[in-house]
Amino acid sequence: MKKIPNPRVCIIGAGLAGLTSARYLQDEGISFTVLEGTRYVGGTWRYDPRVGTDENGLPLHTSMYKHLRTNLPKPTMELRGFPVPDDMPSFPSWKIYYKYIQEYVKHFDLARHIKFLHNVILVSRVQNMWKVKYQNVLTGEEFEDEFDFVIVGTGHYSKPNYPTIPNEELFTGTIIHSHDYREPEVYKDRRVLIVGAGPSGMDIAIDVAYHSKALVHSHHSRIKFREVFPKHYIRKPDIEEFNATGVLFKDGTYEDIDDVIYCTGFQYDYPFLDKSCGLDLSPRSVTPLYKYMVNIRQPTMVVMGLTVRACLVVALDAQSRYATALVKGNFTLPPQEEMMEEWNRRAELIRSKGRPLSDIHFLAEKEDDYYADLTEESGIERVPPVMFKIRTVDTQAKLESLYTYRNYAYTVLDNETFVRTLEDKNINRIR
């Protein structure tokens, strides 16, 4: 890919991926536009009590709920070059963290680059240019502009993934997805079924358990939580089928249920990308991508924030810097065949283990190596290894107790070392 003089960049979405990309492109004096369908910054981090659609008839993308606190400690939530406030709690609420995002936008004067209330309808590749069609959501007026690069920053936490369970239509209680979960008080003295044991499943289960009469939790997670749950918590395997008033489980047991919350994850959803973009899009994966982000068939498109099991804010910031270095021409990508070979090797390794292709987005234990790779190739500043170390220790703390892991504070001492404290008592130094 040849260096493009005076490149024009389209950033889709003004969530964290779009905002960090905007900040670094601005630093380099690169021409860009951010297209955002709502009147707000921050994407999923902005709480909205409504569900379904917003005042303009567009789907509400936020999955924030009233009592949400981050599930990673604040050093891993910090955006580079913009320190989190000293008085920010170790695991801040969405409200505190959203204010931090707003201050970030203000500090770097990013709002002037954002076209609010302009929703992207279509992105297509035409004669070596990106044509981006977008619409003013208030007037309906449509526009089309040409760009050299496209950065897709819309995330993947807004289109609910619903399971298909026999006889669900017979059930007379309520069923929602965690995307539409807002507050636990409505479940007071109810028998609530939570389906799924990912981060939101565990968090919402604890949130609801404070109010419900019974908390029935159906999941097949192999994670060994050493949690002592309240007496009205009932662990169940996967669901066999619904009836009018409850659920039969795979082990033959039955529970009466009033309400169901599916915490079954989200689908990758990019309805505005057409076939000319060259990506294979499915609800569970976006492929083929080099370095988890560069569209191999059309490498002037970058899809941000698809990594799973990582410090997402840290990863997004690093990806934004890598994308900026790519746009600026600071480094050259390998030939398409090489990028595809590397991707195929990763995909084949996943298949050989009998795992689904969706695992192609997992970083997990490879997270720190990933940051090292981005630096080695693009020359960006290295994400300190201490970030991965903090996530590793925090993950262990979650296994020990979902009720107490947020009581720890993590203080970074240097790029390799941090201190973890509890109730202001020094516990250990980890190098």
Side-chain angles (χ1 to χ4, degrees):
M1 190 174 82
K2 289 181 182 174
K3 182 172 179 175
I4 299 171
N6 304 315
R8 291 162 298 166
V9 184
C10 178
I11 300 173
I12 303 174
L16 278 184
L19 294 172
T20 49
S21 298
R23 177 253 166 121
Y24 294 118
L25 289 172
Q26 179 176 259
D27 284 352
E28 298 296 341
I30 292 166
S31 171
F32 69 94
T33 300
V34 184
L35 297 173
E36 167 57 46
T38 73
R39 60 180 82 242
Y40 309 102
V41 297
T44 196
W45 282 101
R46 189 187 68 84
Y47 174 78
D48 194 314
R50 300 170 298 179
V51 298
T53 54
D54 66 12
E55 66 276 14
N56 301 309
L58 291 176
L60 279 161
H61 292 299
T62 179
S63 299
M64 284 294 110
Y65 44 93
K66 189 166 85 172
H67 298 150
L68 182 137
R69 291 168 66 194
T70 64
N71 63 3
L72 283 168
K74 73 175 177 179
T76 69
M77 301 298 294
E78 183 170 285
L79 295 165
R80 183 174 161 276
F82 193 67
V84 292
D86 289 340
D87 61 355
M88 180 186 280
S90 183
F91 291 80
S93 66
W94 67 263
K95 186 178 276 185
I96 292 170
Y97 192 69
Y98 185 61
K99 186 181 177 195
Y100 169 71
I101 295 171
Q102 290 175 307
E103 292 295 328
Y104 179 86
V105 172
K106 197 170 163 185
H107 179 79
F108 292 107
D109 194 19
L110 300 178
R112 65 196 175 99
H113 297 284
I114 304 171
K115 285 189 175 177
F116 290 103
L117 296 167
H118 283 80
N119 192 43
V120 173
I121 303 167
L122 182 67
V123 178
S124 48
R125 188 72 175 163
V126 182
Q127 296 175 339
N128 287 329
M129 292 296 297
W130 291 109
K131 285 195 183 292
V132 179
K133 189 181 285 187
Y134 55 99
Q135 183 178 44
N136 182 316
V137 300
L138 298 181
T139 67
E141 188 179 359
E142 291 187 7
F143 307 88
E144 186 174 79
D145 288 338
E146 291 186 344
F147 297 94
D148 299 296
F149 286 86
V150 170
I151 296 175
V152 182
T154 51
H156 58 101
Y157 294 109
S158 59
K159 184 174 184 181
N161 180 59
Y162 284 95
T164 304
I165 299 172
N167 298 331
E168 185 190 281
E169 72 282 357
L170 301 178
F171 184 61
T172 55
T174 71
I175 297 179
I176 65 165
H177 188 274
S178 63
H179 175 61
D180 292 331
Y181 173 76
R182 292 294 182 267
E183 53 185 61
E185 290 82 1
V186 296
Y187 297 105
K188 183 171 173 54
D189 298 329
R190 311 275 291 175
R191 297 182 62 83
V192 183
L193 170 65
I194 304 278
V195 181
S200 64
M202 300 310 293
D203 220 30
I204 291 172
I206 287 172
D207 204 27
V208 171
Y210 284 114
H211 299 271
S212 63
K213 186 198 299 184
L215 196 290
V216 183
H217 197 178
S218 164
H219 67 85
H220 51 250
S221 173
R222 291 173 298 192
I223 297 171
K224 298 284 188 280
F225 289 101
R226 298 186 285 277
E227 191 63 81
V228 179
F229 290 105
K231 285 179 180 163
H232 65 292
Y233 176 95
I234 306 164
R235 166 82 164 86
K236 289 291 179 182
D238 287 351
I239 300 168
E240 181 71 37
E241 63 179 3
F242 280 93
N243 67 17
T245 57
V247 171
L248 181 70
F249 296 93
K250 297 275 188 188
D251 62 358
T253 59
Y254 174 83
E255 293 288 339
D256 282 321
I257 299 294
D258 298 314
D259 308 284
V260 178
I261 305 173
Y262 286 137
C263 300
T264 45
F266 295 86
Q267 297 185 1
Y268 295 110
D269 184 42
Y270 300 95
F272 47 84
L273 299 181
D274 77 1
K275 285 189 176 175
S276 68
C277 295
L279 287 170
D280 299 325
L281 303 169
S282 87
R284 308 300 293 160
S285 62
V286 178
T287 59
L289 297 175
Y290 176 68
K291 295 287 188 259
Y292 296 77
M293 61 190 288
V294 177
N295 177 352
I296 293 175
R297 296 190 185 110
Q298 297 289 354
T300 51
M301 172 180 281
V302 177
V303 188
M304 307 286 286
L306 297 183
T307 52
V308 179
R309 294 192 188 165
C311 301
L312 186 58
V313 173
V314 172
L316 275 177
D317 194 89
Q319 287 185 338
S320 298
R321 290 183 284 127
Y322 177 97
T324 301
L326 177 64
V327 170
K328 199 181 172 199
N330 288 356
F331 71 100
T332 306
L333 291 168
Q336 190 175 8
E337 303 75 40
E338 270 184 44
M339 292 193 287
M340 193 62 91
E341 276 174 27
E342 182 188 289
W343 184 86
N344 278 325
R345 278 197 300 273
R346 279 202 298 128
E348 191 46 51
L349 182 63
I350 288 165
R351 290 189 194 103
S352 70
K353 293 177 178 175
R355 299 294 301 155
L357 187 59
S358 57
D359 280 15
I360 200 87
H361 299 297
F362 283 23
L363 280 181
E365 73 283 351
K366 301 190 293 286
E367 182 179 8
D368 191 57
D369 295 337
Y370 176 60
Y371 301 140
D373 288 347
L374 293 184
T375 293
E376 186 179 351
E377 183 174 29
S378 68
I380 64 169
E381 186 181 325
R382 169 81 152 88
V383 170
V386 70
M387 293 299 160
F388 174 62
K389 293 178 180 181
I390 288 175
R391 185 173 75 83
T392 304
V393 172
D394 172 68
T395 299
Q396 201 53 42
K398 288 183 177 78
L399 294 177
E400 287 162 12
S401 175
L402 290 164
Y403 284 94
T404 63
Y405 79 90
R406 289 187 176 98
N407 295 344
Y408 291 107
Y410 296 77
T411 306
V412 173
L413 300 180
D414 55 42
N415 284 348
E416 298 282 345
T417 318
F418 69 92
V419 170
R420 185 174 77 160
T421 54
L422 179 63
E423 296 173 349
D424 298 324
K425 291 176 185 169
N426 191 2
I427 291 184
N428 48 19
R429 176 176 296 199
I430 300 173
R431 187 179 291 277

